[in-house]
Amino acid sequence: MFESAEVGHAIDKATFDAQVPALREALLEAQFELGQQARFPVLILIAGIEGAGKEETVRLLSEWMDPRFIEVSTFDQPTDEELTRPQAWRYWRQLPPKGKVGIYFGNWYDQMLQARVHKKIDEAQLDQFIAGAERLERMLSEEGTLIFKFWFHLSKRSMKERLETLKDDPLHSWQLGPLDWQQSKTYDKFVLHGERVLRRSSREYAPWYVIEGEDERYRSITVARILLEGLQCALEHKTPTVHAHHAAPLVSSLDNRALLDALDLSRTLTKQEYQEQLVVEQARLSKLIRDKRMRKHALITLFEGNDAAGKGGAIRRVAAALDPRLYRIVPIGSPTEEELSQPYLWRFWRHIPRRGKFTIFDRSWYGRVLVERVEELCSPADWLRAYGEINDFEEELTNAGVVVAKFWLAIDQETQLRRFREREATPFKRFKITAEDWRNREKWDAYCDAVGDMVDRTSTQISPWTLVEANDKRFARIKILRTINDALESAFGRL
Amino acid sequence: MFESAEVGHAIDKATFDAQVPALREALLEAQFELGQQARFPVLILIAGIEGAGKEETVRLLSEWMDPRFIEVSTFDQPTDEELTRPQAWRYWRQLPPKGKVGIYFGNWYDQMLQARVHKKIDEAQLDQFIAGAERLERMLSEEGTLIFKFWFHLSKRSMKERLETLKDDPLHSWQLGPLDWQQSKTYDKFVLHGERVLRRSSREYAPWYVIEGEDERYRSITVARILLEGLQCALEHKTPTVHAHHAAPLVSSLDNRALLDALDLSRTLTKQEYQEQLVVEQARLSKLIRDKRMRKHALITLFEGNDAAGKGGAIRRVAAALDPRLYRIVPIGSPTEEELSQPYLWRFWRHIPRRGKFTIFDRSWYGRVLVERVEELCSPADWLRAYGEINDFEEELTNAGVVVAKFWLAIDQETQLRRFREREATPFKRFKITAEDWRNREKWDAYCDAVGDMVDRTSTQISPWTLVEANDKRFARIKILRTINDALESAFGRL
């Protein structure tokens, strides 16, 4: 969930200076229109890692927009007034009215995360708080409020560096209280629980945006652009209320440093390395699957990737290690008539393996947020809510001991072209290439955006995505086998 | 929440026999249309008290409708197949496809309630299960499923009688396992936790219907009518999916034994009784409000009722007991411009008293489901979701120690007419009667339905409604004062 926010996004000063004037003007204009229409309020919730630029970004927004129509509220220590009333009272009294923008610092997410990190509440109680937040936000959204939730993120290393730098800077040291330092120590917990909170509370009507906080220019422009697009969408939408789902598109990276671009596709294995490691990893998998600890688990792997990225070959190398009675390969194509008459997750639920068994999905439920999104086979509302639904689904699986390993096989456009041509030239491979493959190729960028959003929103602690550098098929196959083996071992260790 | 299902609803045989043929025909027709359209599936969840006619009703439905397109599933003991997979798998494999009806017995609600009653899970974990059910049902609803949830209810006394009768009947005794008997002992727990489950999981897209189970004819016809109306609504709605909210109207009582009709409006107090008791109860209130245990509480009372039911007079008798610095009276009329620019609950949140204080709302947030519903000032979707939102709101209040006492002052139509005439005839009361009052009178039945639904869906253990027989003002005032005092004492005792 935080992978995209640890790749080192940055924007150079020239690009920044070139973009800011138009962005500021557009933001001011949208804000003016918001006030004129006075049809709905905007609520911005700020959360995330200390030192990731939360305060700075809000200060900048107030500078770029008209501060008379923005109210920033912080909720760290409750006042006497607030202490004597129900907890939610303080949030209600600060709500922005229609036509205005309210920014909430130290809001309910901060409260529940602090409480969880300091072990004042357990996991079930955290879930109670999350459910409460969901009910509140859904109600606000139904009443018309446009909600943005920003999580400012830093990798652990970046945070430490940043705290170190700030410590020596007398102008900045006031920013760092003892609590912050403590948070530096408890970074892992904060991120662990934070992910649970984001996973459960990122819903189509109030999605989370995870912003990498390291580069000030990048984070400023990214936040401003998300706000602008969301505002413009909602302002065009002329119904009396904004309602149930966020019109804002998920925003693709600004600096061409998307997660996929950060992959080093030049990684290879020699033939000999490959053969040696293949034997090792296949033997390891075969042994793990027959391990008696496997009786308490099941295994699901799923393969998504660019056309011609080598999914089939990789799946064969996995299967080759195993007794065919132990696994099933489920290819996902167009749904059958029966499947069409059910909710979209139904066709996957029917193939969930029993304990001790292994199911390999060749393409998967992620079709909803990939092909169905890009080809507009379902509405934006449908694929937007799918992220949350898929996270719920995978959580049910992992809670039941199912190990889920998800692979995206990435190749570059040149490699794909070469493979397409080879397929056309080889008689027994010709069936593998169709007119549709060439059409998909034209939507390369749209697919890249979809993959980025997918990984950002569904790569979770309980069920992470593995991005596989697949220009070299040998490298890809070994990485996949090794990842599956590591996942099983780690699950066995957990018992 | 269960009040309406304990008034002794019954339908005589003649009425039953007269209604059934047309109802069966309409149900069959709707079911046929459902199959023809094959646009959405119907899922019926059954829960409730043992012996309240769950099985019998389902059997009857299968008889009245075409059983080829109904699939009844029970989920008591998981099969071997099911035990080796994630819990939700068994529900997914039985889902009805588009065009068909699925009836789930012993579903997730049964599982979580049994677990809670037997203390296998605590309250926070129960909330986790409820939140899981909410996510599942919302997803199913977004995918088009029309969901009905029926809770079959019996009062404790009725249940005991029923179990006794069945015990001696050799034909029925097979129905009663040891678990059922145990449930008879744990009735209170079951109802307590059941109410929490219903309160949280009754949402506009999948509302609960509480059915009194005592009279077989009543419960059969009521269930059939709710199904029929819901089906017909959804079938007319020609969009590709049914979506987000239940088109079914809440159904008013069939046998004219609504909760309001069950009130004995002839109850009176003599002038002397009244004056004696007034002194006692006012003194009691005055003392309770100044009690030091009040420092941990606040008090909210709200008054709704028919026009001319005597709200103003009752409020004055309450206020008369108190130091004016301790309470505030908040009359709720048309919202101000400022209030209109906020979510509808905002205007009430601003008047939430601090601890130690008392706020009296003359009319309240229930306007949403009374006047706004009847006068069509908001959409059905808005007032349907309001029940859940209001329950959430009151739960936040009571969690913070606020005691909430809610009064509906009920008079009959003759008394209202007499009071209207008196007001017109009395110079200093003339301002109290307007053309609008006469117009409202014409909507008497619509208001009765709205009040019935309101009490059914928002009278909860944590914040019950008190229906006040108000034909006699003296009786009403004393009942109100006494109820407030009892509520405070009970809250103080709980500390």
Side-chain angles (χ1 to χ4, degrees), chain B residues 133-362:
Chain B
E134 255 189 275
R135 286 196 294 268
L136 173 64
E137 290 170 22
R138 187 178 294 272
M139 187 269 296
L140 290 175
S141 157
E142 298 265 11
E143 291 281 308
T145 310
L146 183 65
I147 304 174
F148 295 87
K149 301 190 287 201
F150 292 105
W151 177 276
F152 289 83
H153 192 75
L154 285 178
S155 66
K156 194 171 189 175
R157 197 172 43 77
S158 300
M159 191 194 67
K160 284 192 171 162
E161 280 169 16
R162 208 172 145 83
L163 292 177
E164 276 305 313
T165 325
L166 293 181
K167 194 177 62 174
D168 298 335
D169 178 348
L171 279 175
H172 276 92
S173 62
W174 60 269
Q175 288 188 326
L176 303 169
L179 195 68
D180 306 323
W181 282 110
Q182 193 182 346
Q183 210 178 57
S184 151
K185 279 184 218 147
T186 52
Y187 176 94
D188 293 334
K189 276 196 211 167
F190 200 83
V191 166
L192 176 75
H193 302 308
E195 199 207 74
R196 185 178 187 90
V197 168
L198 264 62
R199 193 170 73 230
R200 285 190 179 276
S201 65
S202 198
R203 296 286 159 182
E204 70 281 10
Y205 53 86
W208 278 101
Y209 296 95
V210 177
I211 309 290
E212 180 164 1
E214 188 145 16
D215 180 70
E216 190 177 339
R217 290 186 290 260
Y218 170 82
R219 74 175 180 240
S220 307
I221 290 214
T222 303
V223 170
R225 249 192 55 190
I226 290 171
L227 275 181
L228 178 63
E229 291 192 25
L231 264 172
Q232 285 175 336
C233 263
L235 289 166
E236 275 165 32
H237 208 269
K238 291 287 181 191
T239 53
T241 54
V242 181
H243 259 338
H245 56 83
H246 222 261
L250 308 181
V251 175
S252 59
S253 166
L254 289 165
D255 59 351
N256 297 320
R257 285 211 38 113
L259 207 52
L260 286 177
D261 303 308
L263 290 178
D264 176 7
L265 294 181
S266 69
R267 299 180 75 173
T268 56
L269 286 182
T270 65
K271 199 161 184 178
Q272 200 193 336
E273 286 170 327
Y274 170 67
Q275 278 171 341
E276 283 169 12
Q277 295 180 25
L278 185 68
V279 172
V280 171
E281 295 299 338
Q282 284 186 336
R284 214 177 135 207
L285 179 58
S286 164
K287 200 165 162 228
L288 283 166
I289 289 275
R290 286 178 292 113
D291 190 293
K292 72 168 194 280
R293 287 169 293 185
M294 187 69 193
R295 285 186 216 149
K296 300 208 168 173
H297 291 281
L299 175 62
I300 289 176
T301 61
L302 67 87
F303 293 84
E304 298 280 356
N306 302 113
D307 289 323
K311 289 191 295 292
I315 290 173
R316 277 198 303 280
R317 296 324 179 278
V318 171
L322 303 171
D323 177 344
R325 287 168 301 182
L326 292 178
Y327 72 87
R328 280 192 61 195
I329 300 174
V330 180
I332 300 297
S334 304
T336 64
E337 202 187 335
E338 204 186 357
E339 288 166 346
L340 276 174
S341 80
Q342 293 279 4
Y344 77 98
L345 285 173
W346 185 82
R347 59 192 303 215
F348 309 106
W349 268 106
R350 46 191 321 206
H351 295 300
I352 297 305
R354 52 186 301 164
R355 279 200 285 276
K357 304 274 174 146
F358 175 23
T359 301
I360 300 170
F361 287 96
D362 183 359

Side-chain angles (χ1 to χ4, degrees), chain B residues 88-100:
Chain B
W89 188 75
R90 54 203 307 232
Y91 303 120
W92 277 89
R93 69 196 297 224
Q94 306 286 0
L95 277 186
K98 288 174 187 163
K100 295 207 181 174

